[in-house]
């Protein structure tokens, strides 16, 4: 232990210190420390380190280093506020005859604060996420010759492992599960049987109950609830409480104030490192396009850590950069998750370059192997028999199936239900890469959804700018004979957009229409009865008995046998469906549980509906998503990257959801869809008219 002669809260490096600068009482701190010291001395031998002036946190000797037998791994503090303690502790360890190992500079590890032996000495639990770096764990395993189990800390109040995790005599573990990520919790549950787990609730956790000094059957802590005390007594422990409130102000308590230098030692032990590392390569506009930040964030958020081995910064605006990065993860499982996300942003795993993808046979029609690789929207290649195959029918949420054909091996994205016995499916994340164009360096001023949304309210001018851009592209696509698919909800009709969408179809800007029963119903209701869901579209008022209108319409169309027949027979004389029929624009109406009718054309077999959607989407250059969350998301899932998606909805949540696919090509517009369509039609007519402005009605 280290007496609190120079203890104070001088700076803020954890949430407990906030608001507590110079707020602890020197006298009370000394009293509290003395009480703890005497309690421990009744049960163990205590050596003291001489405190050094200017290093107020030196009292927390748990952070001096990690000791096993005569070996110490000296701490490398994360914060410069504590780095000055290192030489004092080093000197002390050396004077006591320990062999001191020092981690490379910039590889933080905060000693026994972040590393706790199970009390039988079988393995070491090591925390990471706030103060200690995951990459320090393999070195510790090696130096101390022990198995290291890495646990990721998630709650900044519990920034050191010893604030929320406490192995006890007899294989017990007292801990606060919400402080860890789910992978770590699973690991804990694998190693510690349920009857040995003493789960601490939040009120105890924030009283630092887990920060307990355990000597044989005695546990010494700041404070415990009656409940926790009972639980500990049941497990055979004597609970001693001693207030340490002055030290809580700095984010520490009993255990932090001590360092155990006599840990139980198992002679026949071995270093076991569960951490996996891989080297990956990134190439492209890593800085300009923000790719490098995105990649490194993904690694950290995913529970891994990284080391940049090489960074070759492109010199000119046009030159690409190249980075080689070593990634570590606490397990194969976590590594796979991280790598698959990195693959999505175009990262190539170097070690994989030489390896084939792992394939497993389909053993039952419509069912993939566990662990199948889930496809994304990005063009993907897979390495089979030493050869990179381009995956066909790219879409997200599918599996990659490899089949033998007369023309050789073929890789294609398939949804699970389409998998066939005899095919092989890619599992794991080995031998896979996605092709991202380097050209897609995002121009800084592109009207991207997020910058757009972050403006809070989408100003009218922004909407106009996007309309201008969309109009330009619609015209380009039409002129080169491309394909635009529209997916629309009934709100298009309710907001008065029917006439504009009809106009777009008539003028050749739309090559396929996707929707549900409702859009067709209300479109034809408007055409036949002048109302949409019973509201008069000219007056804007509800018509008496109007709620029955759409059922009458459904009935009439059913009598005709199909929408096309209703158009041919003159029952439907205008509107969106009318224009589709007249201009031979294919449409697909997918049914749902809430459909009235349905119309004869509505496909109530959802598997068939999905297939029809996919067929109409094939080869699309642009998709206009107009106020239909359901159909738009369905369409989004079927569409590979590279297809421009424009999503218009009055609800920002829908827009965000769709643009969240992370593809640069999507634009979100939060506005009234009727208004948007009217602006769009106006702009298109401006672009195509010889005389400038034209009024459209
Ligand atoms: N103020 C110190 C810090 O933030 C408290 C250390 C507590 N020690 C511990 N092993 N949890 O570093």
């Amino acid at each position: 232990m280290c007496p609190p002669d120079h203890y104070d809260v001088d700076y803020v490096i954890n949430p407990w210190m906030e608001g507590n600068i110079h707020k602890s009482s020197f006298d009370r701190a000394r009293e509290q420390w003395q009480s703890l010291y005497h309690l421990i001395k009744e049960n163990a031998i205590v050596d003291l380190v001489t405190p050094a002036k200017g290093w107020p946190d030196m009292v927390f000797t748990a952070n001096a280093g990690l000791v096993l037998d005569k070996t110490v791994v000296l701490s490398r503090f994360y914060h410069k506020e504590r780095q000055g303690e290192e030489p004092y502790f080093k000197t002390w360890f050396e004077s006591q005859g320990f062999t001191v190992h020092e981690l490379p500079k910039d590889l933080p590890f905060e000693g026994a604060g972040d590393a706790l032996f199970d009390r039988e000495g079988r393995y070491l639990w090591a925390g990471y996420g706030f103060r200690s770096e995951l990459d320090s764990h393999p070195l510790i395993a090696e130096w101390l010759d022990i198995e290291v189990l890495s646990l990721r800390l998630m709650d900044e109040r519990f920034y050191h492992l010893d604030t929320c995790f406490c192995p006890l005599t007899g294989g017990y573990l007292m801990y606060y599960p919400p402080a860890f990520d789910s992978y770590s919790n699973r690991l804990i549950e694998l190693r510690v049987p349920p009857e040995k787990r003493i789960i601490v609730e939040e009120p105890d956790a924030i009283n630092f109950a887990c920060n307990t000094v355990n000597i044989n059957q005695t546990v010494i802590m700041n404070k415990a609830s009656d409940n926790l005390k009972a639980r500990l007594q049941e497990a055979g422990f004597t609970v001693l409480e001693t207030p340490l409130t002055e030290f809580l102000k700095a984010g520490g308590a009993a255990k932090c104030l001590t360092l155990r230098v006599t840990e139980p030692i198992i002679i026949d032990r071995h270093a076991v490192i569960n951490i996996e590392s891989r080297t990956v390569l990134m190439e492209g506009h890593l800085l300009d396009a923000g790719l490098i930040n995105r990649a490194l964030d993904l690694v950290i958020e995913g529970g891994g850590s990284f080391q940049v081995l090489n960074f070759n910064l492109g010199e000119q605006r046009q030159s690409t950069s190249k980075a080689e990065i070593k990634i570590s993860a606490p397990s194969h499982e976590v590594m796979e998750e991280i790598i698959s996300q990195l693959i999505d942003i175009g990262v190539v795993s170097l070690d994989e370059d030489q390896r084939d993808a792992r394939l497993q046979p389909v053993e039952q029609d419509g069912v993939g192997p566990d662990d199948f690789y889930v496809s994304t929207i990005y063009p993907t290649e897979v390495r089979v028999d030493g050869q990179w195959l381009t995956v066909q029918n790219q879409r997200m949420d599918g599996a990659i199936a490899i089949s033998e054909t007369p023309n050789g091996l073929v890789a294609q994205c398939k949804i699970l239900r389409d998998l066939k016995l005899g095919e092989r499916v890619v599992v794991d994340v080995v031998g896979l890469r996605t092709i991202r164009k380097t050209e897609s360096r995002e121009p800084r001023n592109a009207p991207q959804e997020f910058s757009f949304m972050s403006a809070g309210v989408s100003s009218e001018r922004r909407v106009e700018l996007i309309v201008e851009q969309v109009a330009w592209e619609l015209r380009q696509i039409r002129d080169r004979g491309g394909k635009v698919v529209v997916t629309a909800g009934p709100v298009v009709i309710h907001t008065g957009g029917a006439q504009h969408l009809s106009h777009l179809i008539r003028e050749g800007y739309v090559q396929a229409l996707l929707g549900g029963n409702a859009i067709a119903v209300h479109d034809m209701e408007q055409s036949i009865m002048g109302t949409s869901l019973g509201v008069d579209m000219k007056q804007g008022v509800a018509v008496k008995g109007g709620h029955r209108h759409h059922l009458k319409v459904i009935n009439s169309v059913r009598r005709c046998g199909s929408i096309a027949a209703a158009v041919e027979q003159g029952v439907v004389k205008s509107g969106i469906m009318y224009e589709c029929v007249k201009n031979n624009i294919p449409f697909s109406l997918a049914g749902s549980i809430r459909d009235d009718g349905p119309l004869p054309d509505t496909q109530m077999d959802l598997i068939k509906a999905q297939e029809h959607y996919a067929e109409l989407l094939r080869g699309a250059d642009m998709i206009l998503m107009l106020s239909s969350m359901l159909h738009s998301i369905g369409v989004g899932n079927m569409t590979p990257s590279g297809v421009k998606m424009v999503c218009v909805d009055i609800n920002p949540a829908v827009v965000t959801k769709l643009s969240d696919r992370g593809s640069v090509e999507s634009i979100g517009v939060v506005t009234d869809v009727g208004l948007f369509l009217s602006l769009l039609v106006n702009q298109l007519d401006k672009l195509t008219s010889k005389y400038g402005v034209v009024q459209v009605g």
Side-chain angles (χ1 to χ4, degrees):
M1 295 179 74
C2 173
D5 302 5
H6 307 294
Y7 170 70
D8 193 8
V9 180
D10 272 359
Y11 43 74
V12 176
I13 56 172
N14 68 49
W16 304 90
M17 299 173 103
E18 233 164 272
N20 276 328
I21 292 197
H22 306 315
K23 290 273 171 62
S24 67
S25 141
F26 179 75
D27 293 337
R28 211 175 314 133
R30 200 210 315 260
E31 267 165 46
Q32 293 183 342
W33 187 89
Q34 286 291 345
S35 310
L36 175 69
Y37 175 62
H38 289 299
L39 268 184
I40 296 178
K41 266 192 28 173
E42 282 164 27
N43 298 278
I45 302 163
V46 184
D47 289 329
L48 294 181
V49 182
T50 316
K53 196 157 184 283
W55 303 106
D57 274 336
M58 243 186 110
V59 285
F60 298 113
T61 50
N63 302 121
L66 176 68
V67 185
L68 185 63
D69 202 1
K70 282 318 256 176
T71 308
V72 182
V73 180
L74 191 70
S75 283
R76 266 239 184 272
F77 284 95
Y78 180 86
H79 290 109
K80 63 172 180 345
E81 283 85 344
R82 295 197 64 183
Q83 286 165 359
E85 300 172 32
E86 290 165 17
Y88 295 102
F89 288 130
K90 183 177 177 192
T91 309
W92 186 85
F93 284 125
E94 283 172 348
S95 73
Q96 304 289 313
F98 289 100
T99 308
V100 178
H101 288 279
E102 287 180 84
L103 287 152
K105 148 176 171 303
D106 289 338
L107 192 58
F109 166 66
E110 298 203 346
D114 258 337
L116 299 159
F117 294 97
D118 106 286
R119 302 250 45 87
E120 255 84 81
R122 293 166 296 182
Y123 39 77
L124 179 72
W125 297 102
Y128 72 100
F130 293 107
R131 299 294 185 84
S132 300
E133 191 62 55
L134 181 64
D135 275 325
S136 66
H137 296 178
L139 288 169
I140 296 163
E142 213 177 284
W143 287 333
L144 301 182
D145 232 333
I146 196 159
E147 172 168 20
V148 174
L149 301 168
S150 307
L151 298 175
R152 182 183 181 199
L153 297 165
M154 299 295 283
D155 183 331
E156 58 170 356
R157 295 173 301 169
F158 305 105
Y159 57 93
H160 274 144
L161 184 63
D162 69 357
T163 59
C164 51
F165 189 91
C166 184
L168 298 172
T169 311
Y172 285 96
L173 172 69
M174 172 165 64
Y175 74 119
Y176 177 58
F180 300 92
D181 73 354
S182 58
Y183 165 77
S184 305
N185 270 303
R186 223 171 328 128
L187 183 64
I188 295 169
E189 287 160 16
L190 274 174
R191 295 284 173 135
V192 184
E195 67 280 7
K196 297 279 183 182
R197 297 179 212 145
I198 301 176
I199 308 258
V200 166
E201 304 287 335
E202 194 174 10
D204 275 318
I206 58 173
N207 275 325
F208 275 72
C210 295
N211 201 251
T212 282
V213 176
N214 171 218
I215 307 165
N216 305 321
Q217 293 310 119
T218 305
V219 287
I220 306 169
M221 62 179 83
N222 170 53
K223 199 174 156 59
S225 64
D226 292 344
N227 213 330
L228 179 60
K229 270 187 253 176
R231 189 76 186 79
L232 285 164
Q233 277 153 8
E234 216 176 283
F237 293 98
T238 308
V239 182
L240 303 180
E241 287 170 289
T242 182
L244 291 163
T245 49
E246 295 315 301
F247 297 97
L248 254 62
K249 292 175 184 164
K255 156 72 174 61
C256 299
L257 292 165
T258 68
L259 175 68
R260 183 189 276 261
V261 291
T262 50
E263 295 284 358
I265 301 151
I266 291 183
I267 301 303
D268 176 35
R269 56 182 209 277
H270 304 283
V272 179
I273 300 163
N274 300 295
I275 294 173
E276 231 186 77
S277 295
R278 283 195 200 178
T279 306
V280 299
L281 187 70
M282 296 187 77
E283 212 174 336
H285 295 289
L286 301 185
L287 285 187
D288 295 356
L291 275 173
I292 191 87
N293 315 26
R294 201 137 32 104
L296 301 183
D297 285 353
L298 277 175
V299 174
I300 298 301
E301 280 157 22
S305 80
F306 62 80
Q307 194 186 340
V308 179
L309 302 177
N310 233 314
F311 193 98
N312 208 320
L313 183 59
E315 282 166 21
Q316 308 289 337
R317 199 159 111 89
Q318 289 309 315
S319 9
T320 54
S321 306
K322 210 168 168 172
E324 220 177 288
I325 303 162
K326 187 182 137 206
I327 296 175
S328 309
S331 71
H332 180 68
E333 206 185 343
V334 175
M335 178 63 89
E336 236 182 67
E337 191 53 49
I338 293 174
I339 296 284
S340 69
Q341 294 198 42
L342 288 177
I343 288 178
D344 294 353
I345 62 169
V347 171
V348 182
S349 189
L350 275 185
D351 323 327
E352 303 329 326
D353 232 14
Q354 322 304 341
R355 278 203 256 167
D356 279 344
R358 286 186 44 213
L359 305 178
Q360 256 170 41
V362 172
E363 281 168 354
Q364 186 185 338
D365 278 345
V367 180
D370 292 342
D371 209 25
F372 73 92
Y373 170 80
V374 181
S375 65
T376 67
I377 58 176
Y378 305 109
T380 305
E381 292 186 342
V382 46
R383 192 174 187 265
V384 185
D385 297 340
Q387 168 198 347
W388 287 98
L389 304 175
T390 302
V391 176
Q392 294 167 11
N393 290 335
Q394 191 67 43
R395 57 160 290 156
M396 65 186 269
D397 295 349
I400 298 179
I402 310 291
S403 41
E404 321 251 357
T405 72
N407 304 325
L409 287 173
V410 171
Q412 66 186 131
C413 268
K414 282 191 148 192
I415 37 186
L416 292 176
R417 63 169 183 257
D418 291 335
L419 292 175
K420 290 271 171 312
L421 211 70
E423 284 173 331
R424 289 176 301 161
V425 167
V426 176
V427 295
D428 212 319
V429 287
V430 177
L432 279 164
R433 64 185 186 200
T434 61
I435 310 301
R436 305 293 290 272
K437 310 171 277 192
T438 25
E439 303 85 83
S440 66
R441 187 191 59 224
E442 298 159 32
R444 291 239 177 262
N445 52 359
Q448 265 179 290
E449 198 269 327
F450 288 112
S451 47
F452 172 57
M453 298 278 301
S454 60
V457 193
S458 32
S459 73
E460 246 169 82
R461 181 61 194 142
R462 293 305 299 257
V463 175
E464 276 172 32
L465 282 172
I466 291 181
V467 165
E468 278 168 26
Q469 194 195 336
V470 173
W472 169 258
E473 280 179 43
L474 279 178
R475 206 192 75 142
Q476 296 289 95
I477 294 173
R478 184 186 71 170
D479 292 356
R480 62 162 193 263
K483 183 171 184 178
V484 173
V485 180
V486 171
T487 165
V491 177
V492 170
I493 318 294
H494 306 328
T495 56
Q499 52 173 330
H500 306 302
L501 184 51
S502 303
H503 180 90
L504 291 180
I505 298 171
R506 197 161 49 236
E507 295 298 317
Y509 292 111
V510 179
Q511 280 64 49
L513 177 74
L514 310 176
N517 194 58
I519 178 160
V521 169
H522 296 296
D523 168 60
M524 292 186 290
E525 175 192 343
Q526 189 187 351
S527 143
I528 298 174
M529 328 212 35
T531 59
S532 174
L533 208 61
V535 174
D536 186 305
M537 290 307 285
K538 291 232 159 61
Q539 325 286 333
V541 290
V543 175
K544 207 157 173 279
H547 63 282
R548 286 191 285 261
H549 283 183
H550 73 283
L551 293 167
K552 304 250 163 96
V553 168
I554 291 170
N555 194 45
S556 310
V557 178
R558 288 182 67 87
R559 178 175 298 118
C560 299
S562 70
I563 295 174
V567 170
E568 296 319 328
Q569 293 169 28
V571 175
V572 176
K573 297 195 187 70
S574 64
I576 297 170
M577 301 320 295
Y578 172 87
E579 296 297 346
C580 282
V581 172
K582 283 297 182 194
N583 295 285
N584 278 318
I585 300 304
F587 58 85
S588 183
L589 306 177
S592 80
I593 191 110
R594 57 173 293 190
D595 289 342
D596 290 321
L599 291 167
D601 304 70
T602 302
Q603 179 54 265
M604 298 307 282
D605 179 335
L606 277 184
I607 292 186
K608 284 199 185 131
Q610 283 187 348
E611 279 165 3
H612 196 205
Y613 261 48
E615 190 187 309
L616 292 184
L617 281 165
R618 211 155 290 145
D621 299 289
M622 186 196 266
I623 303 175
L624 270 181
M625 303 175 156
L626 306 174
S627 288
S628 165
M629 173 150 79
L630 186 67
H631 298 99
S632 301
I633 292 176
V635 164
N637 291 346
M638 299 177 189
T639 309
S641 73
V643 181
K644 186 139 208 153
M645 299 196 322
V646 180
C647 174
V648 185
D649 206 294
I650 196 79
N651 180 353
V654 175
V655 172
T656 311
K657 207 170 164 106
L658 270 148
S659 323
D660 239 3
R661 332 198 307 154
S663 78
V664 212
E665 300 89 10
S666 2
I667 302 181
V669 195
V670 180
T671 190
D672 177 273
V673 69
L675 197 68
F676 175 86
L677 283 169
S678 123
L679 288 173
L680 184 61
V681 164
N682 249 310
Q683 178 64 19
L684 275 169
D685 285 348
K686 225 195 270 178
L687 285 182
T688 42
S689 142
K690 278 184 245 159
Y691 307 104
V693 190
V694 149
Q695 283 302 347
V696 217

